[in-house]
Amino acid sequence: MAAVVTTPEQFFLEKSSFKKHPNFNNLRNKQIDQAIISEDVPQRRGSGNAYQYTKTGYRKDINMNVRSSWEANFVRVLNIYKIAFEFEPTVFSFPIKKGTKAYTPDFLLKKNDEWIEIKGYLDDKSKIKLRRFKRYYPEEFSKLTCVISKYSRNAKDFMEEIGVEKVIYYEDIRDFYSKYIINWEGKS
């Protein structure tokens, strides 16, 4: 079964209590304390870590410690739409003795109890976690939306293979929202 690719504008509006999108021009015109942005220096992890290519760390503007710029930017958009969420609220343990024993989805959207996984880099361990999540927690897996790169054939094929129902492309989020969010991280 092919995943439904959702546009970010549709996804975020659907999850919020808003009837229409916020006034983005008004949002862009608001000034942000430059001290918040300039002091915010996320750290890169060492080699051998799944997060070695990401900027993990605390972001003052969202008042959170996240594992990547993708996660930080996703939170910024959630905040614009005032979507209630929890970051890594639950660890799903697998009843196995060796190997990957648990999975922690990145976000829980409280309004409709939906899991969000931001998958910038899909390594073998991530694939194992998602397969086991589907096997041991099929009801929770059915509520999973994955944010992946539209340029990753590997990620698209894998999401289809395991039956993720809803996918959002990060580049679509970036292309639409980065011009409105002053402290957007990465390419605009």
Side-chain angles (χ1 to χ4, degrees):
M1 175 178 83
V4 174
V5 177
T6 305
T7 65
E9 307 93 287
Q10 176 187 348
F11 175 82
F12 290 108
L13 187 59
E14 178 184 291
K15 306 304 176 205
S16 76
S17 59
F18 295 176
K19 302 280 186 243
K20 60 181 185 173
H21 293 286
N23 182 342
F24 294 114
N25 290 328
N26 199 17
L27 183 87
R28 182 69 179 152
N29 292 332
K30 289 183 179 176
Q31 292 300 312
I32 294 180
D33 184 351
Q34 290 303 313
I36 288 176
I37 298 168
S38 63
E39 290 178 17
D40 190 19
V41 183
Q43 302 296 313
R44 287 200 181 269
R45 297 287 180 147
S47 63
N49 182 307
Y51 301 102
Q52 66 185 330
Y53 303 109
T54 66
K55 292 182 179 176
T56 299
Y58 181 76
R59 308 307 202 276
K60 284 186 176 184
D61 67 309
I62 58 174
N63 194 29
M64 285 182 64
N65 189 26
V66 292
R67 299 180 192 280
S68 71
S69 59
W70 283 24
E71 288 181 1
N73 291 334
F74 192 80
V75 169
R76 291 177 180 112
V77 177
L78 290 173
N79 288 342
I80 289 170
Y81 284 91
K82 298 187 182 340
I83 298 171
F85 70 91
E86 292 181 32
F87 180 68
E88 297 185 347
T90 305
V91 175
F92 293 96
S93 297
F94 306 133
I96 60 170
K97 294 184 180 184
K98 290 184 179 181
T100 304
K101 298 180 182 181
Y103 167 63
T104 306
D106 295 323
F107 298 96
L108 173 65
L109 302 186
K110 295 179 180 182
K111 181 179 176 185
N112 56 354
D113 199 33
E114 180 178 352
W115 297 106
I116 306 294
E117 179 64 33
I118 310 288
K119 259 302 143 223
Y121 178 69
L122 186 63
D123 61 358
D124 290 340
K125 190 172 183 177
S126 297
K127 289 179 179 180
I128 291 167
K129 288 178 184 181
L130 288 169
R131 280 191 182 107
R132 289 183 180 169
F133 183 52
K134 179 180 181 178
R135 178 178 179 187
Y136 294 111
Y137 299 94
E139 188 175 317
E140 297 300 320
F141 180 83
S142 70
K143 299 184 256 180
L144 180 69
T145 296
C146 288
V147 177
I148 62 172
S149 172
K150 68 169 44 174
Y151 303 111
S152 174
R153 170 64 32 213
N154 180 32
K156 288 187 210 178
D157 290 347
F158 181 73
M159 295 306 156
E160 187 172 328
E161 174 191 323
I162 65 169
V164 171
E165 291 183 21
K166 195 180 293 182
V167 167
I168 304 170
Y169 294 139
Y170 178 78
E171 292 81 5
D172 293 343
I173 296 172
R174 180 197 65 210
D175 292 347
F176 187 82
Y177 293 101
S178 65
K179 61 186 165 262
Y180 302 114
I181 299 175
I182 291 172
N183 47 339
W184 189 268
E185 294 179 38
K187 296 178 189 175
S188 295

